[in-house]
Structures are given as C-alpha cells and as structure tokens.
Amino acid sequence: MSLEDELYREIILDHYQNPRNNGVVENADYSVDGTNPLCGDEVKVSYKLNGDKIEEIKFTGQGCSISQASASIMTELVKGKSLEDADKIAQIIKKMFFDGATLEGLEAFGFDEEEIEEVESLSGVRKYANRVKCATVGWNALLQGIKSKK
Ligand code: ZN
C-alpha cells in the first residue's frame, strides 16, 4: 500500500470512528437530508446562521465510512464560513471528486495544513468510482441547504 493510500485510510477511519460536529443543531435554520441509495448512505446536516455565516453545523448519519468521514470533514471546513464561501468550498471539493481537479482554490479560505491534508486524502476515493457518490452525500446536503436560501 502506498503512503498516500495509508493516509487516506487513516483519516477516513479516524473521522468515521470519531466524527466531528456529530449531532443535531438546536433551533437550526436549515436541516437537510442527503442520501446515496446506491450504498445506503444517509447524512442529515443541520446548521444555524449568524448573519450569513454558518455559526454552528452538525451532522448525523449512517452508512459507509467514506460517507460519514467526508461529512465530518465537511462540517469542519465550512463551520464559521459565510454561505457564499461554503458554496465555493463545496464546489471545489466536488470538482476534485468528480474531475480530479486540484485544490489550489482552497488556499484563499485560510485553512491550515492539516485541514488541507485531510481534504487531499479524501481524493483517494477517486480510485473507486462508485464511492465518489458516498463521499459527496454530505457536501450535496450542504449545497442543497445553501441553494434553498437563495
Ligand atoms: Zn457509501
């Protein structure tokens, strides 16, 4: 196994076993369900806004490790961001999943090295075409919520 694969597995497993921002936001402004019927993944994302900023975001769900880990990483990345930025971040990451695009655009959002490394490791999912849908469940739920506001 390459170092890259190992890192990918390690990070997925870590987030799967210790999901960040797990739960339901009380008095949430938005609550969106995402599903990937192909694999049976479910991710429910709820968040609360302060102005146009995502002040609090949590998720619950069930399904494969990739779907849950990716949702966990998603909540970390967009917490505290404006809806507009969260939308941009989600687009960049979906482009990475589907087209193998680089993550260069993420630098503008002030993420630290560890956060970028986590997202980069998620790109390992591209090797398994049918898992890309798993990795995007949480991101799609977020985007759906953002869209519903516009
Ligand atoms: Zn899955």
Side-chain angles (χ1 to χ4, degrees), residues 68-81:
Q68 305 304 306
S70 185
S72 170
I73 291 172
M74 181 274 291
T75 61
E76 279 194 320
L77 291 184
V78 304
K79 193 175 176 178
K81 301 283 187 284

Side-chain angles (χ1 to χ4, degrees), residues 23-50:
V24 179
V25 174
E26 258 180 69
N27 304 315
D29 292 307
Y30 292 90
S31 181
V32 192
D33 293 312
T35 58
N36 169 26
L38 285 178
C39 179
D41 304 315
E42 286 171 26
V43 174
K44 189 188 192 90
V45 178
S46 56
Y47 57 92
K48 199 174 179 166
L49 298 176
N50 182 355

Side-chain angles (χ1 to χ4, degrees), residues 36 38-42 62-68 130-135 137:
N36 169 26
L38 285 178
C39 179
D41 304 315
E42 286 171 26
Q62 53 186 17
C64 69
S65 57
I66 293 170
S67 65
Q68 305 304 306
N130 52 346
R131 310 311 295 277
V132 168
K133 286 210 163 83
C134 302
V137 184

Side-chain angles (χ1 to χ4, degrees), residues 45-64:
V45 178
S46 56
Y47 57 92
K48 199 174 179 166
L49 298 176
N50 182 355
D52 78 329
K53 239 186 198 164
I54 300 175
E55 189 174 57
E56 210 186 343
I57 179 164
K58 289 186 177 177
F59 85 98
T60 57
Q62 53 186 17
C64 69

